[in-house]
Amino acid sequence: MAASEGVSLARVLIACETPVGDAALRRAGALAQVLQQAGHEPLLAVPDLPRAESLLADSGVALLPSPTWQTRVEGLPAVHTYTDLLLRQGFADATGLRGLARGWRQLVTLLGVDLVVAHHAPVALFATRGMGLPRLRFGDGFDCPPLATPMPPMTWWDSAPEPFDVIGERSALHVAQQASTDLGLPDPGCVVDVLHAEADALCTPTELDVYPARGAATWCGPLLALPEGGPVPLPEGGGDTVYVALRARHPLLVPLLQLLRANGRRVLLQLGGGSPEVARQLTSEHVVVARTPVAPGQVRQHCRHAVLDGHPTRTPGVALAGLPQLMLPTRLEQMMLARRVQDAGAGLLMDARAASETATVPMTLDTSLHRLLDDATLAQGAKTLARKYAGHDDARTLAAVLGLVQALLAAAAGDDDAPRAKRSRSWPRWRKAKSGG
């Protein structure tokens, strides 16, 4: 898709901040490549250059370090709203936030950026206010929380306010106001002002948005950006094959494998992390361990059930493939997604953090596993969700995001009175050569 008529080719900065995992990097890389194919010049700023290099080295997209908060903030309660994340990413220290914001503003000015795509980048959104640049929030529901005062609870299934909610909101806003005054930025009146962008691009099925009470939004469709993976030998013997994707240190991995073996199931295990020795110890006649991504097509073709942890792209990918899944989340964002999959009737969850701390793990896990394997309503719910998105294609979703980018650029080009970030005339147009010669 080329740049539309009336839209100049633009330099687009895709800003990523911590925390950012492989799924977020792949989504950002996929968008960067689509922008590049349309004739724009994407630049991808990330907090972990070595990790991004390992995933995106062959994309031809320029990679830059992003200004990112590096210090652990002590003394905060458990995360309950998105504001609590802000406090952990710079909004608890006016001097630190000022430094990060100044870094983003200098980066945008030196690069001569025409548009900023914020992929879970709240400081970049805060910093670029008043620069005359269109900004687009991009990502799934967790990356783009609904903007409300106060910010809504992440534990929407238990929406009672926490005592720190008001304190945290006031603290983050006070720090943002201090840094804004020092930098000459518009004064934010609430946390919403800090996170506001000219448009949002939500890349998730509406049923799996981790904020079910979200109001009107721009839904672009699911964006999985799953790695292609490679073929993995299937386990030997008879019985159904269960796809398991958990990290090596997951507290329920070993008892899960034992129960699956006791139930006569073969296992295709995609292991996150762990040494070759750990992988060898988990391998058996009926368990094949893959330490690299398994091809999604192989999972769809050979597996009838799945066990995951609420991974941001594998979990929706399995759901849209029509496989019922048992989810064993250990983190809040995983729990948010797992509950949405369960509410959609496509799976069930078991809180791995709580379960691992009790003496009834085998009994509770066995009950959940039997329901996954035997409950026909779960299989039907997964198929129903998959049928709704049978035409899903990442390219279609990315085309919708590109349309938003080009609409923002066209609107900015028509607003001659808006203040602009001054472009550094000495900065060349930058294309990163693909690796390998």
Side-chain angles (χ1 to χ4, degrees), residues 6-379:
V7 177
S8 301
L9 303 184
R11 185 171 290 168
V12 178
L13 178 64
I14 303 175
C16 300
E17 295 172 11
T18 188
V20 61
D22 290 1
L25 287 173
R26 288 193 177 96
R27 283 172 168 164
L31 176 59
Q33 288 185 291
V34 166
L35 290 168
Q36 197 172 69
Q37 291 162 7
H40 299 296
E41 185 177 17
L43 305 170
L44 180 53
V46 297
D48 187 347
L49 280 174
R51 189 62 187 159
E53 179 71 14
S54 69
L55 294 173
L56 305 174
D58 295 329
S59 67
V61 175
L63 300 175
L64 301 166
S66 63
T68 302
W69 184 260
Q70 303 288 346
T71 306
R72 180 181 177 88
V73 180
E74 302 290 347
L76 294 175
V79 172
H80 187 242
T81 72
Y82 195 85
T83 303
D84 296 326
L85 291 181
L86 295 181
L87 293 170
R88 289 161 167 81
Q89 294 183 34
F91 286 82
D93 181 327
T95 301
L97 180 60
R98 184 180 67 215
L100 294 177
R102 197 188 301 278
W104 276 117
R105 291 176 71 85
Q106 291 172 342
L107 191 65
V108 165
T109 300
L110 286 171
L111 295 176
V113 170
D114 299 299
L115 181 142
V116 174
V117 174
H119 188 26
H120 199 181
V123 178
L125 286 171
F126 166 77
T128 51
R129 294 173 305 124
M131 296 188 76
L133 293 170
R135 288 95 45 81
L136 175 70
R137 289 200 307 165
F138 161 75
D140 59 23
F142 184 80
D143 300 322
C144 305
L147 302 182
T149 302
M151 293 294 283
M154 292 179 167
T155 55
W156 45 265
W157 56 93
D158 180 12
S159 58
E162 294 287 341
F164 188 76
D165 288 353
V166 174
I167 299 172
E169 194 103 355
R170 289 175 179 171
S171 299
L173 178 60
H174 178 67
V175 167
Q177 289 172 334
Q178 281 187 294
S180 296
T181 298
D182 293 343
L183 293 169
L185 304 183
D187 185 45
C190 58
V191 171
V192 167
D193 293 343
V194 170
L195 300 173
H196 173 75
E198 283 62 43
D200 292 346
L202 277 167
C203 301
T204 182
T206 56
E207 294 87 348
L208 304 187
D209 182 3
V210 296
Y211 289 95
R214 188 191 303 269
T218 303
W219 305 94
C220 295
L223 179 58
L224 303 179
L226 292 168
E228 293 182 2
V232 177
L234 293 176
E236 298 178 359
D240 295 335
T241 299
V242 178
Y243 171 60
V244 177
L246 296 173
R247 70 186 190 279
R249 297 179 62 183
H250 193 284
L252 300 185
L253 176 58
V254 172
L256 171 70
L257 295 178
Q258 292 171 344
L259 287 170
L260 285 170
R261 182 166 60 247
N263 281 275
R265 262 47 179 205
R266 299 182 296 167
V267 177
L268 179 55
L269 172 60
Q270 182 171 322
L271 189 66
S275 65
E277 176 61 20
V278 170
R280 187 192 65 77
Q281 292 172 358
L282 295 174
T283 301
S284 68
E285 180 183 358
H286 302 298
V287 178
V288 168
V289 179
R291 299 184 66 233
T292 56
V294 179
Q298 185 175 17
V299 174
R300 288 193 301 269
Q301 181 178 356
H302 297 290
C303 300
R304 294 183 59 186
H305 306 87
V307 182
L308 300 94
D309 58 5
H311 186 275
T313 54
R314 281 196 292 267
T315 295
V318 164
L320 298 186
L323 300 182
Q325 56 186 300
L326 170 61
M327 294 155 290
L328 306 173
T330 60
R331 299 198 299 267
L332 177 57
E333 64 271 24
Q334 296 173 343
M335 176 65 77
M336 295 169 73
L337 179 56
R339 283 186 174 271
R340 294 296 283 148
V341 174
Q342 180 171 267
D343 286 354
L348 67 153
L349 72 88
M350 174 179 167
D351 188 340
R353 296 172 302 178
S356 63
E357 296 171 358
T358 70
T360 60
V361 169
M363 183 183 304
T364 308
L365 184 57
D366 189 44
T367 300
S368 298
L369 194 57
H370 272 290
R371 187 181 169 198
L372 171 71
L373 300 174
D374 301 333
D375 191 339
T377 60
L378 287 177

